[in-house]
Structures are given as structure tokens and as C-alpha cells.
Amino acid sequence: MAPSQDLCHQIAKVFASLTYSCGPLIRVADLSSKEEKATHRHLLAERPDIVVSTPGRLRTVLADGTLNVRESLRCVTIDEADLMFTFGFEKDLKEVLKHFPPVHQSVLCSATLEEDVTQMKKMVLRNPVILKLEEPQLAVGTQLTHYQIEAEEVDKAAILYTVLKLKLIQGKCIIFVKSVDRCYRLKLFLEQFGIRSCILNSELPIKIRCHTVHQFNQGSYDIIIASDELMAENPALVKKKSDKKPSTKQLLQQTEAESSVSRGIDFQCVSCVVNFDFPSDLNSYIHRAGRTARGQNNGSVLSFVGIEELELKRNVEEFLQTLSNDAEFSMKDFNFNFDEVEAFRYRAKDAWRAITKISIREARIKELKMEIFNSEKLKSFFEENPRDLQTLRHDRPLHTVHVQEHLGDVPEYLVPAALKPMVDIMNAKRKKKMSEKYAAAKKRAKSDNPLLVNGIDYMKKG
């Protein structure tokens, strides 16, 4: 079991690849999608050896008799256990456990296990053995570098625009914000400067989200904007002891959305994680930072820190001090001279103010319509033409804000003196690439011209 459809799809895909050589001997069924009962019944009719599902979906198929595991279940694995318990899956799990045999093995997995889930662990486990992996929660040493920029709301957008436009961040990047609206605000902002990005939005169809992650891993996009703090957008879903508990359906929707990005999803070869909005707690920072510096790869985390977030930053630094066994450890200051990029700030402020609540709402509706069309109407076409699916991009401009073409270019006089050599190299590479592209197009047009014979244009006068 896993808390989100995205994570379930990823787990099922990994199982399928691991058991590929086994053929039909080991079958895997993913029940997390919102399919019809007949579809689930068809999947389970083949008696799969491994079933992957969210708690809510598993509860449904067990309750209606579509799945019966009383005599066949051997092992239950719950991924992201702290998130599963903390956000109110207690009722679903209690109902699911009623259908399990009395003797089976249970495994809870998570990068963080909080003390407040002790009672929930007792519900699932009997005489548990805790296995702690020796590797730290985050990469240590020079493999993962933590940077900070102290900036308030009015300056964060300008700094991010400057950093991305001047290529101070190289490689693939995930930008985290605190709400879905902020995702679209930032995308529309970057769009005005010709910086393309895509959004992982829980409102979009699950297949679109999985396809977006797949293309990001394949290198089709360099920037993903994501939110893992849906509670900040909808405080009514926050669990409080003194308030009435929200319904399981509300909690399921909130949890699947909240966990779809920073929790568990396998982003590959991410060079940098940018905390445009500083995470609300230590666990969120750990999960965000864990998207980079994976395996033997190096990575960095760049966090924007406001005055109100200094206490949160100190908590993170205390954790990093313990992790690195260095009592004096602190986040490095990102070498950024505000005076040298003052001209960028004027551009950014105007662009940021141009984004209104109406334009954000229109952007959300527009993208949702486009992606639903791609997901449903073209489903059969892509099944017959899988290669064409690779051409489906999710970083298209939304154009709900007026875009001034000249903002996409950075005049030479705006570039700081220290960065001019690097910018000149990038411009030279871009010009060379454009000239090669133009030459190839010209050659292709010439070869396709039916009036040319042996390179001679007989229609040309003279």
C-alpha cells in the first residue's frame, strides 16, 4: 500500500521490470487508478501475486468481494508509513485489516517515522523489529550542498529569474512552492521571460502526471514546479485534536495530492532543488532535499528564507549539524550580489505584478482542459502509436498573461561583469546550434525541391 496513485504506479512499474524475465509466473496488479469495478475485477481474475493499491481503493475491492486474501496473503508492505498514519487513514486501515488472515508479515517503510504514530503502528504490527539503514536520511559531505538566500516575497521571483536566466543553476531542477496556485503563478512568471517549465498538479489525470515525470527523467524538461504543502492552500484539511475530524474522502484527496511529489516519486538526475517557499517543517525539507544527490550523483538545495522562516531554518541546520557531525555546520550563503542585478529586479517586479488571481484561475482551467483532452480523447491513438506519445509535451505556454517577446532576451548591459565570459560562451553555443539547425533546414528544403535536377534549378532565370 502507498498513499498516492503516483507512487502506486511507480511501484507497480518497478515490480513489472524486476519480474519481466519471469513472464506469466509473477503477475502484478495496480488497483490505484479510478477505474470501473469491471476493470478491477478483470485484473484480479488473473489471480495476481502482487497487488499495489492505496488504502481507500483496497478497502473498496475487499469490501465488495472482488478481492479475497484471507487464505492467500503472506506479506503486507506499507510505504510512506508516517504519511499514511498521520493524515487519517486509520479508518481505512482498520477495515482493510479485518479482511487479512491472522498470520501474515507486515512491513512499514518510510524515511521518517514520528512518535505520534505509535498507536497506529501497534494496530498493524505485533512485536515489531526496527531495521534502520546505515545510510543517512540525506547525502552528506560534498555530495549535497545546502545554500540559502535571505529574501522576502518581493525579491524571490526576481532572484529566481536571474539565477535561471543566467544559468547559475545547471541541469534539471525541481522548484517547490507551498500551493498549486503558487505553482501556476510561478509558471506564468517564468513564461514571460521565455523560461519553459511544467507543473505537477494533483488535479491533472494520473496518466498525465506519470507521463510528465517520465519525460522529466528522460530529459525532455529541465524545470518542474511542484507543491507538497496542500494543507497551506486548504487549512480545513489540517488535522487538529480540538476540531472535528474531516471525512476520509477529504483526507484521501488531500493526502494523495500532498504526497504526490516530494514523497517517494523517483526523479532521476536532479541537479538542484529550489525551495522557493521554505518547507513548513523538518520532514518536508528532508523529503524535498532527497529528490537530489541520489546514488553517486552530486546535488544542491537552494532555499529562499524570509524573516518569518528563520526559526524553521535553524531547526533544519540543527538537524544537518547532527547529520554531518559538525556542530558549526550552517547553510552556505549563495554568492549573489543584488547590486549587480538591480536591472533584473525591475523587469521581474513588473512581470510578477502582471499575474492576477483571474489569470491564475484561467491558467489552471486551461491546462486542465488540455491535459484531460490529451488523456482521454487521444488515449486510443497513443495506444496504437506509442512513439507519438513522446511528442506530447507538458511545458507548453499557457498565455493567460500578456507576454512581451523582448523579455525573453537578456541585453548584454544587464549581465554582471563577472558573468559575461560565461554568458558569451553560452551565446556562442546557442548561435552555433541555431546556424547548424538553419543549414540543415536549408539543405532539407533543397533536397525536397522537385524543380532541382543534379543541384541545378531550371526555373531560375538567367
Side-chain angles (χ1 to χ4, degrees):
M1 282 184 283
S4 72
Q5 295 181 34
D6 308 63
L7 190 51
C8 286
H9 279 289
Q10 179 177 289
I11 293 170
K13 187 176 179 180
V14 171
F15 269 125
S17 62
L18 291 175
T19 59
Y20 176 78
S21 300
C22 300
L25 296 178
I26 300 179
R27 296 184 176 90
V28 182
D30 181 6
L31 306 182
S32 61
S33 300
K34 296 179 180 179
E35 304 286 353
E36 298 292 336
K37 288 185 179 180
T39 304
H40 288 159
R41 192 176 293 111
H42 174 72
L43 290 173
L44 296 173
E46 298 180 355
R47 300 178 64 83
D49 302 279
I50 301 171
V51 174
V52 184
S53 177
T54 57
R57 202 75 63 215
L58 185 60
R59 175 186 176 183
T60 301
V61 295
L62 288 171
D64 62 17
T66 306
L67 177 64
N68 188 346
V69 295
R70 288 190 182 277
E71 297 181 357
S72 57
L73 183 66
R74 295 292 179 268
C75 180
V76 176
T77 302
I78 301 177
D79 196 13
E80 300 295 346
D82 58 332
L83 191 70
M84 191 86 74
F85 295 152
T86 304
F87 285 91
F89 282 103
E90 181 177 359
K91 187 175 180 180
D92 285 327
L93 287 171
K94 283 183 177 179
E95 292 298 320
V96 167
L97 289 173
K98 292 178 181 179
H99 297 271
F100 288 174
V103 179
H104 65 273
Q105 185 182 40
S106 297
V107 181
L108 306 186
C109 305
S110 180
T112 55
L113 283 175
E114 299 296 329
E115 293 298 327
D116 61 351
V117 301
T118 303
Q119 296 300 321
M120 296 294 293
K121 286 191 289 186
K122 290 180 180 179
M123 181 181 71
V124 179
L125 304 177
R126 299 291 182 273
N127 300 321
V129 175
I130 299 177
L131 176 62
K132 292 185 177 181
L133 300 181
E134 293 183 358
E135 64 179 14
Q137 291 176 300
L138 291 176
V140 294
T142 58
Q143 186 179 358
L144 179 59
T145 309
H146 303 264
Y147 294 101
Q148 66 164 348
I149 296 180
E150 293 188 3
E152 297 304 320
E153 183 69 21
V154 292
D155 292 324
K156 289 197 296 187
I159 296 171
L160 182 64
Y161 153 58
T162 307
V163 167
L164 293 177
K165 202 64 180 178
L166 297 181
K167 302 294 183 181
L168 300 182
I169 293 178
Q170 300 286 338
K172 292 193 288 188
C173 171
I174 302 178
I175 304 174
F176 281 104
V177 294
K178 63 184 178 183
S179 69
V180 177
D181 270 359
R182 298 273 288 177
C183 287
Y184 282 94
R185 176 178 286 274
L186 193 55
K187 177 180 172 64
L188 293 173
F189 170 76
L190 296 177
E191 193 177 286
Q192 296 180 70
F193 300 101
I195 301 174
R196 304 190 71 164
S197 61
C198 54
I199 293 175
L200 274 184
N201 180 3
S202 58
E203 297 172 340
L204 299 177
I206 178 64
K207 292 182 179 179
I208 292 295
R209 300 204 302 268
C210 291
H211 186 244
T212 302
V213 174
H214 173 72
Q215 286 194 327
F216 179 75
N217 290 337
Q218 295 296 317
S220 300
Y221 320 119
D222 288 330
I223 301 174
I224 274 188
I225 304 173
S227 166
D228 67 344
E229 305 292 344
L230 265 291
M231 285 185 298
E233 189 180 38
N234 192 354
L237 295 178
V238 179
K239 184 179 178 182
K240 296 181 179 179
K241 294 181 180 179
S242 59
D243 297 339
K244 183 180 178 181
K245 289 185 178 180
S247 66
T248 302
K249 183 178 180 180
Q250 287 178 315
L251 287 166
L252 181 61
Q253 291 173 346
Q254 186 272 323
T255 306
E256 289 190 0
E258 193 270 350
S259 62
S260 62
V261 178
S262 71
R263 294 296 187 101
I265 299 300
D266 184 21
F267 293 99
Q268 299 173 6
C269 301
V270 177
S271 299
C272 182
V273 167
V274 177
N275 290 319
F276 188 79
D277 294 324
F278 201 80
S280 59
D281 54 39
L282 176 60
N283 287 339
S284 293
Y285 187 92
I286 293 172
H287 284 285
R288 287 184 181 187
R291 301 307 100 203
T292 185
R294 311 192 78 170
Q296 301 299 319
N297 297 321
N298 293 331
S300 60
V301 181
L302 173 60
S303 300
F304 291 92
V305 184
I307 295 177
E308 297 179 353
E309 298 157 339
L310 290 176
E311 184 64 31
L312 292 171
K313 190 201 78 168
R314 280 192 286 269
N315 293 338
V316 171
E317 287 183 328
E318 289 176 2
F319 167 77
L320 295 176
Q321 288 171 2
T322 305
L323 198 65
S324 60
N325 294 321
D326 183 0
E328 298 182 358
F329 179 90
S330 61
M331 293 184 183
K332 296 181 179 180
D333 290 326
F334 192 79
N335 292 327
F336 196 87
N337 191 334
F338 288 93
D339 296 332
E340 290 187 350
V341 294
E342 185 65 29
F344 285 87
R345 188 179 299 185
Y346 289 113
R347 283 184 158 201
K349 283 185 177 180
D350 290 340
W352 189 258
R353 283 196 294 262
I355 305 168
T356 62
K357 291 183 179 180
I358 295 176
S359 62
I360 293 173
R361 184 170 67 249
E362 289 176 350
R364 293 181 70 164
I365 294 172
K366 183 176 180 179
E367 184 175 49
L368 188 59
K369 286 181 178 178
M370 288 192 304
E371 298 295 11
I372 287 177
F373 175 80
N374 291 334
S375 180
E376 299 296 333
K377 300 298 182 182
L378 302 181
K379 181 179 178 181
S380 58
F381 173 79
F382 286 134
E383 287 177 351
E384 296 174 0
N385 304 273
R387 290 186 178 180
D388 291 344
L389 183 61
Q390 300 303 318
T391 64
L392 180 63
R393 298 184 63 88
H394 307 285
D395 60 348
R396 296 183 299 273
L398 296 175
H399 294 308
T400 59
V401 176
H402 177 63
V403 177
Q404 303 179 59
E405 297 295 335
H406 71 278
L407 293 179
D409 297 321
V410 179
E412 188 176 347
Y413 65 85
L414 289 182
V415 180
L419 295 176
K420 280 187 177 180
M422 184 176 67
V423 173
D424 290 340
I425 293 174
M426 291 190 298
N427 289 338
K429 289 182 179 179
R430 186 167 64 250
K431 288 180 180 178
K432 182 180 179 182
K433 187 176 180 180
M434 291 296 294
S435 62
E436 291 176 352
K437 186 177 180 180
Y438 174 75
K442 188 175 180 180
K443 183 178 180 181
R444 186 166 57 251
K446 191 174 182 180
S447 63
D448 293 341
N449 190 346
L451 300 178
L452 287 178
V453 180
N454 295 327
I456 302 174
D457 188 355
Y458 288 96
M459 292 297 293
K460 188 176 181 180
K461 294 182 179 180

